[in-house]
């Protein structure tokens, strides 16, 4: 076994935590001090927010598609608007 393999094996033994669900979590090894990452957290957070907005838009598009499709299949009936919902169309599921 090479010295590098021994270091890897020791890392797994030292940094493995058993979870309540029976799984295991092993901390990722690094060859550098994490402090050297600098301000990459802000960049990572910005990228995460971009992905979240894309996902939100994708889910919104899928929701609108579902609503259009269910309207065409007569799975819902429009309900008369009440106070507080003047700007929204309210539907009641009828045949789902």
């Amino acid at each position: 076994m090479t010295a590098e393999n021994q270091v890897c094996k020791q890392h797994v033994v030292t940094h493995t935590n058993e979870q309540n669900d029976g799984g295991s979590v092993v901390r990722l090894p690094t060859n550098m001090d994490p402090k050297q990452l600098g301000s990459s957290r802000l960049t990572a957070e910005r990228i995460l927010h971009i992905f979240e907005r894309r996902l939100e838009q994708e889910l919104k598009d899928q929701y609108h598609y579902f609503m259009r499709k269910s309207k065409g299949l007569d799975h819902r009936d429009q309900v008369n608007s009440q106070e507080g919902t003047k700007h929204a169309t309210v539907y009641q599921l009828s045949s789902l």
Side-chain angles (χ1 to χ4, degrees), residues 34-59:
K35 293 175 186 171
Q36 292 177 338
L37 293 174
S39 63
S40 64
R41 180 184 176 120
L42 293 175
T43 302
E45 286 177 349
R46 284 188 203 115
I47 292 169
L48 174 63
H49 293 305
I50 289 169
F51 282 125
E52 285 176 338
R53 284 193 297 274
R54 284 184 189 166
L55 178 61
E56 287 171 6
Q57 185 61 49
E58 185 175 330
L59 291 175

